[in-house]
Amino acid sequence: MCGIIGVVALPGKTPYRPGVMVYRGLKRLEYRGYDSAGVAAVYHDKIIVVKGKGKIDDLEKKLGLSSVDGLTIIGHTRWATHGAPSDVNAHPHTDCKNEFAVVHNGIIQNFRELKQLLISKGHVFRSDTDTEVVPHLVEELYKTTGDVYQAFKQAIKMIKGSYALILISVHEPDKIFFAKKDSPLIIGLAEGFNLLASDIPALLEYTKKIITVRDNWIGYITPKEVFIEELDKGVIDWRKYVRIVEWSLEDATKSGYPHFMLKEIHEQPRALKDTFYGIREDVAVAEAVKLLLDAEKIYVTAAGTSYHAGYYYSILSAILARRPIIHFIASEYEVYAPTSSEKDVLIVISQSGETMDSLKALRAFKENGVKVIAVSNVIDSAIPRESDISIYTRAGPEIGVAATKTFTTQTLVLSWLAISHAEALGYLTRNEAEELRDWLGKSSEIASKIIAWNESYALKLSEWFSSRGNAYYLSRGIGVPVAMEGALKMKEISYIHAEAYPAGESKHGPIALVEENYPVLFVIPNHPELEKLILGNIQEMKARGAVIIGIASEDTSLRDQLDYWFKIPTTHWILTPITHTPPLQLLAYHTAVKRGYDPDKPRNLAKTVTVE
Ligand code: F6R
C-alpha cells in the first residue's frame, strides 16, 4: 500500500550517500507497492525529482534513482489508488514553483474540494492523484504564514482521510516534515542522521532505534533533532516512545534464496519455535483467557490469510472449548458490529497490525464497548495499540506479499489460546491440555521435516500443475481453512483459479466444473472420522476424471486413492494448519515460478492494505 522513506543527514555521517540509502530503503519497501517509484531531494536550494512508472530496479537502471544528490531526500514506491500507474502520477509530487515535494501513503478523501479551491487560486495540477493537493496547499498557506511547519500544520488540519505524509522544502533544506493518521510511519534515530519510513525493514540497515509515530502526530526531523506534537494537544516527549527493535538485517534480506517467499516458507521452523517459546511466557494469554471466560459472545475477524487463521480458531474453539465463535471477514464489519455489546470480546488477527479493514472493524466494535484481543506480528502497530490485550507471533518481518510464516505462527498462537480456554472451562484436563501444548512445542521440528520431504515433490508436481487453469481445494472440519489458505496462495501468485470448499459442499454445485484431468487437492487431516468422510468426496471427484492430490500423513488410509501424495509425518490433527500448509505454499510458489511470475510481487496486490 505504498511505501515511503526519508533521510536527513549531516555530511559524511551516513553509511552510504543519502540517495543510495533511500534507494535501498525503497527496495525493502517494494512489497508495499511496485507500480511506480520516485525520489526527491533538496539540492542547492532546488527540489530535484526523479520518478517514473515501473519497478524500482528498472527505474534505477533507466533514471538512476540512487544517484540523486543531497542530504535531505525522500522516496516513494506506489500501489495506485487515485490515478493509474504512470510517470506523472508517480510520487513525489511538487507545487507550482517546485519549492515543496511530498510523498504519501493513504487516501485524501476531500482532495476534489481542495483541488477545486486551489485551482480557483491559480494552482496548476499535473497528475490525477489525491496527493498532489498537499504540496499545492502548503505552497498556498506558506504565502501567509511564511513558515513551512505552520503551513504544513494548517494543511494537515484541512485534509480528511488517511495519511503518512512526508514533505521537504527548499525553505528549510535540513528538515523533513511528517504527519500521520491511519497509515503507518516510523522514525529511525541514528548518529548524524535521522530517518522516516513506512515500515521497520526499510530502516534495519541503518538503525534499530525507532519511534512508532501515532495517529495525529505531526512534526519534523533534522539530522540531530526530532520534534513531535499531537495535533491540537501539544508537544510530545518523544523519548518515552523510543524502542529498540529485535529484528535483524538478515530478516529483511533474501539470504541467498531467489525470493522472499521461499525464504519465509523455509523460516517456518524457526518462526514456530520462537512463537512457541514466546507464547509460553506471555502473561497476555492468561488475561485473554479471562476475557474469553467472561464474554457473552466471542467474535473473530481478519482479512485474507489472517482470516483463515481466525476461521481455524473458530473451529478449534467449537471442538475444544465448545464455544461457538462468530467469525467474519473484516471488511464486512458493518453487518456484525451492531450485534455487539460491552459484554462481548472481539479477536482481531493481523500480521501487519495495520490492515485498514481490520482496524475499522476493531474501532466499530470498540464503540460498543467490546473488549479487543489482537494477534499480530508487529509490535506497536495500530491494531495492537488500539486493543485491550495483544498477543504476538514471533515470525520476524514478512516481506513476500503472500503470507506464509505468519499464517502458521498465527495458528500456533490461536491453538494455544483455544487450548487454554478449554482447560479453564474444564473441557480439557491439565494433562490433556499439556499434551496438546507439547504437540505445539514439536511443531518446529515437524515443519522442518515436512519442508524437507516435500520441496522437490512440489517442484515436480508444479510441472503439471502450471499448465492447469482451475483447481479445487477441498477438506472437512479443521482442514477447511487450510484448504482455503492453499487456494488463496495458488491464485494470488500463480493466477490459476483455485477455489476452496468444505468437501461435502462440492456436490452442491462446484462439481459441475470437474472433468478429465481437473486438479482437486484434498487437505486430509490426521483424523479417522474425517478420512472416512473425505474418502466419499475423493470418489465422487475421481468418478468425473479429476486428478487427486492429497496432503496426508504417512499412514493415511487413503493412500491408494491419491494420484499425487504430499507425505507428511503422522501427528495430532490439532497441528493441521502447520503440517498441511507448507506443501501447499511450496506448490503455489513453484507453480508461480514455472509460469514465469515473481511470487514476491503478484500483480495488483500489495502487502499491508491500508485503504478500505
Ligand atoms: C495473502 C495475504 C493477505 C493478508 C491480508 C491481511 O497471502 O497476505 O491476504 O493476509 O491482506 O493482512 P494482515 O494480516 O497484515 O492484516
Side-chain angles (χ1 to χ4, degrees):
M1 260 322 93
C2 298
I4 62 176
I5 181 161
V7 178
V8 59
L10 293 172
K13 290 287 181 186
T14 49
Y16 312 104
R17 281 190 305 101
V20 174
M21 290 172 74
V22 166
Y23 164 71
R24 292 171 78 100
L26 281 180
K27 286 288 301 162
R28 301 233 155 82
L29 291 171
E30 205 173 9
Y31 68 90
R32 301 178 66 85
Y34 29 82
D35 59 45
S36 43
V39 298
V42 188
Y43 188 60
H44 290 311
D45 298 332
K46 280 208 185 76
I47 299 264
I48 313 287
V49 177
V50 178
K51 63 179 186 173
K53 181 182 166 190
K55 295 202 170 137
I56 293 173
D57 272 344
D58 297 336
L59 291 169
E60 171 68 359
K61 279 188 209 126
K62 204 166 92 184
L63 308 171
L65 298 175
S66 67
S67 328
V68 169
D69 267 325
L71 293 167
T72 306
I73 309 189
I74 59 176
H76 187 269
T77 181
R78 180 166 190 247
W79 187 84
T81 53
H82 289 77
S86 70
D87 289 350
V88 80
N89 287 337
H91 297 216
H93 292 285
T94 51
D95 61 309
C96 298
K97 289 193 274 180
N98 224 27
E99 292 180 346
F100 304 92
V102 167
V103 291
H104 168 216
N105 169 207
I107 292 182
I108 295 172
Q109 278 153 359
N110 59 339
F111 84 99
R112 283 186 193 83
E113 297 94 285
L114 292 171
K115 193 166 173 176
Q116 279 318 315
L117 177 81
L118 290 159
I119 289 172
S120 73
K121 290 181 184 287
H123 290 259
V124 178
F125 282 75
R126 303 176 199 101
S127 78
D128 308 318
T129 64
D130 51 338
T131 304
E132 199 188 343
V133 296
V134 181
H136 289 282
L137 193 54
V138 177
E139 177 187 30
E140 187 59 34
L141 295 164
Y142 183 76
K143 286 179 195 163
T144 46
T145 59
D147 179 291
V148 180
Y149 184 59
Q150 291 311 321
F152 181 61
K153 199 153 116 179
Q154 283 186 21
I156 293 300
K157 287 186 181 171
M158 291 170 73
I159 287 168
K160 294 198 176 76
S162 60
Y163 47 82
L165 268 168
I166 305 186
L167 172 135
I168 53 173
S169 168
V170 292
H171 301 293
E172 303 250 15
D174 60 354
K175 278 189 184 145
I176 302 183
F177 302 87
F178 65 85
K180 176 206 156 12
K181 183 168 169 285
D182 290 341
S183 295
L185 189 64
I186 284 156
I187 299 172
L189 304 169
E191 287 301 312
F193 65 99
N194 285 317
L195 312 103
L196 285 153
S198 297
D199 204 352
I200 297 165
L203 303 184
L204 280 177
E205 197 175 358
Y206 313 124
T207 183
K208 290 191 173 192
K209 208 168 163 189
I210 66 153
I211 301 168
T212 305
V213 180
R214 298 337 197 223
D215 276 352
N216 300 317
W217 282 12
I218 182 167
Y220 55 81
I221 56 171
T222 74
K224 295 209 298 203
E225 189 195 353
V226 174
F227 174 78
I228 309 178
E229 58 181 323
E230 187 168 355
L231 269 184
D232 299 326
K233 295 217 169 125
V235 176
I236 298 279
D237 179 6
W238 55 265
R239 284 178 183 80
K240 285 201 309 218
Y241 296 89
V242 176
R243 69 185 173 91
I244 308 296
V245 287
E246 284 174 14
W247 294 351
S248 71
L249 180 59
E250 253 260 275
D251 291 332
T253 57
K254 287 188 199 154
S255 313
Y257 284 92
H259 297 101
F260 279 110
M261 183 177 174
L262 190 61
K263 178 191 173 217
E264 288 160 4
I265 291 172
H266 280 267
E267 276 177 346
Q268 289 177 108
R270 197 271 311 142
L272 287 162
K273 194 199 259 168
D274 289 354
T275 302
F276 176 78
Y277 286 111
I279 192 95
R280 233 175 38 166
E281 307 298 325
D282 195 345
V283 289
V285 179
E287 290 165 23
V289 169
K290 193 169 172 323
L291 283 189
L292 294 176
L293 289 172
D294 292 342
E296 196 168 279
K297 293 194 287 306
I298 303 172
Y299 299 82
V300 61
T301 197
T305 291
S306 296
Y307 169 73
H308 300 152
Y311 182 20
Y312 162 76
Y313 172 71
S314 75
I315 295 171
L316 197 61
S317 171
I319 296 173
L320 296 183
R322 302 190 201 168
R323 271 308 297 259
I325 305 249
I326 303 160
H327 58 95
F328 66 92
I329 288 176
S331 54
E332 291 292 306
Y333 70 88
E334 274 159 333
V335 176
Y336 296 91
T339 67
S340 66
S341 79
E342 72 287 343
K343 297 183 189 134
D344 301 333
V345 168
L346 172 72
I347 302 173
V348 185
I349 307 161
S350 173
Q351 84 81 18
S352 63
E354 299 285 349
T355 297
M356 187 51 75
D357 289 331
S358 309
L359 190 57
K360 288 271 170 169
L362 179 158
R363 287 176 182 165
F365 275 72
K366 281 221 94 161
E367 268 179 31
N368 289 349
V370 174
K371 295 273 183 309
V372 181
I373 302 168
V375 175
S376 181
N377 193 42
V378 182
I379 293 172
D380 245 4
S381 55
I383 289 169
R385 262 192 341 254
E386 296 190 26
S387 298
D388 298 285
I389 294 173
S390 302
I391 307 178
Y392 290 101
T393 52
R394 286 166 166 83
E398 188 175 70
I399 293 174
V401 166
T404 52
K405 58 179 178 170
T406 54
F407 174 71
T408 43
T409 50
Q410 282 168 349
T411 62
L412 190 151
V413 162
L414 291 163
S415 303
W416 190 288
L417 192 60
I419 294 165
S420 307
H421 188 194
E423 185 185 5
L425 285 167
Y427 292 121
L428 289 176
T429 63
R430 180 80 208 255
N431 282 348
E432 287 165 338
E434 277 305 307
E435 197 191 317
L436 291 178
R437 288 191 198 103
D438 284 349
W439 275 110
L440 297 180
K442 288 182 206 148
S443 65
S444 161
E445 199 187 310
I446 293 167
S448 161
K449 235 187 222 175
I450 289 167
I451 294 167
W453 287 9
N454 288 288
E455 175 94 66
S456 59
Y457 195 69
L459 178 66
K460 202 171 101 205
L461 183 53
S462 69
E463 294 275 351
W464 175 75
F465 211 93
S466 58
S467 64
R468 304 294 94 197
N470 297 283
Y472 281 136
Y473 283 61
L474 306 180
S475 190
R476 293 236 175 199
I478 202 87
V480 175
V482 178
M484 291 166 78
E485 177 56 10
L488 177 62
K489 281 310 80 120
M490 184 57 79
K491 78 181 126 197
E492 70 180 336
I493 61 169
S494 79
Y495 318 141
I496 290 173
H497 181 234
E499 282 310 318
Y501 286 95
E505 183 67 5
S506 59
K507 59 187 175 296
H508 298 284
I511 200 166
L513 290 185
V514 176
E515 53 188 5
E516 212 53 45
N517 276 331
Y518 192 102
V520 182
L521 286 94
F522 280 90
V523 171
I524 305 170
N526 180 31
H527 190 292
E529 292 308 313
L530 293 180
E531 286 210 349
K532 244 188 266 164
L533 288 169
I534 287 173
L535 172 62
N537 302 124
I538 292 181
Q539 284 171 345
E540 285 156 16
M541 292 293 164
K542 267 178 119 61
R544 272 102 192 154
V547 173
I548 308 297
I549 301 159
I551 299 106
S553 63
E554 285 173 282
D555 45 17
T556 176
S557 60
L558 302 180
R559 166 68 197 104
D560 56 354
Q561 300 294 318
L562 309 177
D563 298 304
Y564 293 99
W565 179 25
F566 283 105
K567 197 189 332 182
I568 55 177
T570 302
T571 64
H572 196 284
W573 59 262
I574 200 172
L575 294 186
T576 303
I578 293 168
T579 50
H580 289 57
T581 310
L584 297 172
Q585 297 165 341
L586 287 166
L587 181 63
Y589 171 80
H590 288 298
T591 303
V593 173
K594 275 263 141 60
R595 284 163 69 90
Y597 302 124
D598 179 348
D600 283 347
K601 299 189 189 80
R603 70 184 176 214
N604 307 332
L605 294 180
K607 206 167 179 73
T608 316
V609 183
T610 50
V611 294
E612 267 186 281

